[in-house]
Amino acid sequence: MALPKVGSIGEYIREQRTHAKISLRQLAAAAGVSNPYLSQIERGLRKPSAEILNQIAKGLHISSQALYVQAGLIEEREPDSDVLAAIRADHLITERQRQVLIDIYESFRRENRNGAPDEEAQTSQKAHPAPEPQGSDANISPEGETPLPKGYLAALKPYAAPVDSENVTPESKEG
Amino acid sequence: MALPKVGSIGEYIREQRTHAKISLRQLAAAAGVSNPYLSQIERGLRKPSAEILNQIAKGLHISSQALYVQAGLIEEREPDSDVLAAIRADHLITERQRQVLIDIYESFRRENRNGAPDEEAQTSQKAHPAPEPQGSDANISPEGETPLPKGYLAALKPYAAPVDSENVTPESKEG
DNA sequence: CCTCGTTGCTTGCAATTGCAAACGCGGTGG
DNA sequence: CCACCGCGTTTGCAATTGCAAGCAACGAGG
């Protein structure tokens, strides 16, 4: 793989640098990388790591993401309507809340998956012989919808019936 | 120097992986990296390049930015809470489930607004030396938190007794 | 002519990435 | 009992990153 296909990123950097009218050495110093290395990067002979890329972006006073996009390391926008990604990226909720949301969403997905094998293809993983076909008569409502995980309910509904939570908090050292 | 200080990113990856309930090897395959390398990354023994990081993000179905932020490679930008947009755009869940998620998320946001979000709400920095975000403390309910409209809960919870259909909590003692 | 000062590029070299192969552990089944 | 399977980890190795040192070229000044 001696074919450095990273040309575009190098070109882009050099473009930005010349546009800023600063010398290679100056940018190298500003970015905290060595001059020769920057030279090689600009000409596509080396594939800079994310760290170096970030420093170069700083030295160029451009957004790191712009460079990442150029380097093909990042998508301009998230292609998937990934709810999980959005939840995980959200920093407006607490870790606990995030966990609850993730749990709920995953349980929804799991619930819907009882007839459509998605691309996930969860082969094996059958360590437990306990089958949990959602079709269980126990937890399906009349319409057979959203039984909602008990853990989540327990978490959200402290006033609810105290189910003997034995596995929900295996590590909770009540003090 | 081995400089095993890259831990945060590794911890984050492992956290996300365990939450997704997939094995190290599975994620490695999904991300297109070798199993041992992923192991070393998760334990902070190696500093993955941006490319690898990006692939891991894809394998985890999380946004690349989230990983880059964790790795300290990009500044924590205001990515906007696109959780709602993602939920609305998701076609893998039913309309009812969608409404549940939206309700919960909005109630979380509301909760954080009037309360004191000094918890670990925004800066998701791993300043916590004791990471056990597993469902353990999910019981929350310190005080008047998580009001969550009862009507909504009632509507969702046709059954009274929460059956323990499966483990909602991603609690699995790996090791 | 010779000496600086600047530009960018090429050359070895230590350190690191990233992987294939192999290991120990725990569970399942013959 | 031992084979089998999957889990995470450890161990050598090729390939690569990234740098210090050094090179050739252009211009300014004595």
Side-chain angles (χ1 to χ4, degrees), chain A residues 142-155:
Chain A
E143 289 297 327
E145 290 192 8
T146 55
L148 273 192
K150 75 149 190 208
Y152 137 67
L153 278 178

Side-chain angles (χ1 to χ4, degrees), chain A residues 47 51 88 90 147 152, chain B residues 16 47 51 90 105 152 159:
Chain A
K47 191 187 64 160
E51 210 165 343
R88 288 182 173 126
D90 193 295
Y152 137 67
Chain B
Q16 298 302 312
K47 190 189 66 161
E51 210 165 342
D90 194 293
Y105 180 76
Y152 128 70
Y159 56 95

